[in-house]
């Protein structure tokens, strides 16, 4: 079946511009996550959506970052007034959360490589 | 989540076994041990997970020390396609906490020589 898809695969923008990154999770997955990976670094958690619950935004680095998830499916990560330090690969993942279980495999998309000039 | 320690890099030859170590001396009784790997230019992919007992699946085996303070991911016959960064991650199974987050360190870069 189809995996997690992200678009665009690459985005080059100028400092100060806004960008929108899109994530299509696996159909039926109720949980959706955004991470970012700077060059040579591990993944950094950004935000988590689960069903209709309020999202966990604790990983967003500044108020320039926001995300929404419409209809419990597609998610958009928006970065306003981009800065050069925002350059990174932005990864989306989705998962099914079995009730009461700790096992929670996350399926990752290929990522969007953002370059801010 | 408790911290893990992995070597920065390891090297192996094709078709030989590979043992990737992970230390997690501060692991709690409710922490699952997860392994993910990230192939070049791709998002991470799940490899295996376990709690106390050793685990096997089609990709790898996970050997967990009796005191759970360390674990080893075993690739029985490395192939060139196994060249990747391997991440060892702990995640608490308790509900109500932020147990959905995966905290990735820098992992181990595995190089497989032909």
């Amino acid at each position: 079946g189809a995996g997690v898809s992200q678009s665009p695969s690459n985005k080059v923008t100028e400092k100060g511009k806004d960008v929108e990154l899109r994530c299509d999770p696996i159909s039926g997955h109720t949980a959706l996550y955004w991470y970012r990976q700077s060059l040579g670094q591990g993944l950094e958690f950004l935000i988590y959506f689960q069903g209709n619950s309020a999202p966990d935004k604790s990983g967003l680095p500044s108020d320039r970052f926001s995300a929404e998830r419409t209809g419990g499916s597609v998610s958009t990560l928006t970065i306003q007034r981009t800065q050069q330090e925002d350059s990174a690969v932005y990864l989306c993942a989705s998962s099914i959360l079995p009730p009461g279980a700790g096992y929670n495999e996350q399926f990752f998309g290929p990522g969007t490589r953002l370059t801010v000039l | 989540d408790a911290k893990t320690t992995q070597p920065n890099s390891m090297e192996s030859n094709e078709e030989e076994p590979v043992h990737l170590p992970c230390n997690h001396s501060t692991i709690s009784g409710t922490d699952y041990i997860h392994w993910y790997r990230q192939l070049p230019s791709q998002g991470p992919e799940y490899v295996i997970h376990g709690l106390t007992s050793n685990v096997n699946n089609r990709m790898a085996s996970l050997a967990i020390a009796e005191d759970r303070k360390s674990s080893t991911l075993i690739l029985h016959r490395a192939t060139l396609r196994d060249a990747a960064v391997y991440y060892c991650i702990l995640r608490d199974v308790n509900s109500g906490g932020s147990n959905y987050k995966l905290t990735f360190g820098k992992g181990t870069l595995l190089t497989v020589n032909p």
Side-chain angles (χ1 to χ4, degrees):
Chain A
V4 177
S5 61
Q6 294 186 244
S7 60
S9 55
N10 280 284
K11 176 71 176 179
V12 180
T13 190
E14 293 179 347
K15 178 181 174 181
K17 301 280 190 183
D18 298 351
V19 294
E20 284 189 352
L21 311 179
R22 177 187 168 106
C23 172
D24 284 85
I26 293 173
S27 178
H29 281 197
T30 59
L32 187 146
Y33 317 75
W34 283 97
Y35 296 85
R36 76 175 175 182
Q37 187 170 32
S38 301
L39 188 63
Q41 302 296 312
L43 275 72
E44 173 189 3
F45 167 80
L46 296 177
I47 190 169
Y48 161 74
F49 295 91
Q50 168 56 31
N52 295 321
S53 302
D56 175 358
K57 305 179 182 179
S58 61
L60 294 178
S62 77
D63 58 7
R64 296 186 295 104
F65 288 72
S66 63
E68 62 178 25
R69 189 178 184 191
T70 53
S73 181
V74 173
S75 177
T76 302
L77 177 70
T78 301
I79 309 173
Q80 296 178 311
R81 305 180 303 281
T82 52
Q83 303 295 312
Q84 289 182 333
E85 61 262 29
D86 299 335
S87 296
V89 176
Y90 289 82
L91 291 153
C92 175
S94 69
S95 69
I96 291 175
L97 288 179
Y103 170 53
N104 179 19
E105 178 183 349
Q106 295 185 18
F107 294 82
F108 284 81
T112 294
R113 181 174 298 278
L114 175 66
T115 303
V116 181
L117 302 177
Chain B
D1 290 328
K3 185 177 177 180
T4 63
T5 304
Q6 300 177 252
N8 290 332
S9 63
M10 289 186 66
E11 206 166 319
S12 173
N13 295 320
E14 201 174 6
E15 298 193 1
E16 290 184 355
V18 182
H19 290 232
L20 296 163
C22 181
N23 288 320
H24 28 78
S25 58
T26 59
I27 191 171
S28 74
T30 51
D31 280 328
Y32 270 89
I33 302 161
H34 294 250
W35 284 82
Y36 279 73
R37 71 179 185 181
Q38 188 171 19
L39 302 172
S41 302
Q42 296 188 27
E45 64 176 350
Y46 166 83
V47 177
I48 201 166
H49 79 284
L51 186 61
T52 56
S53 303
N54 294 344
V55 184
N56 299 297
N57 67 20
R58 64 175 179 81
M59 289 180 72
S61 296
L62 177 60
I64 301 173
E66 196 168 334
D67 64 4
R68 300 187 69 238
K69 293 185 184 299
S70 66
S71 60
T72 302
L73 178 71
I74 302 166
L75 307 179
H76 296 285
R77 289 183 65 200
T79 68
L80 296 178
R81 196 194 172 277
D82 291 321
V85 178
Y86 287 78
Y87 298 97
C88 169
I89 301 162
L90 302 184
R91 196 174 60 83
D92 193 336
V93 306
N94 284 327
S95 61
S98 302
N99 65 342
Y100 42 79
K101 294 181 188 178
L102 293 177
T103 301
F104 288 76
K106 294 189 177 181
T108 296
L109 174 63
L110 175 65
T111 301
V112 180
N113 299 314

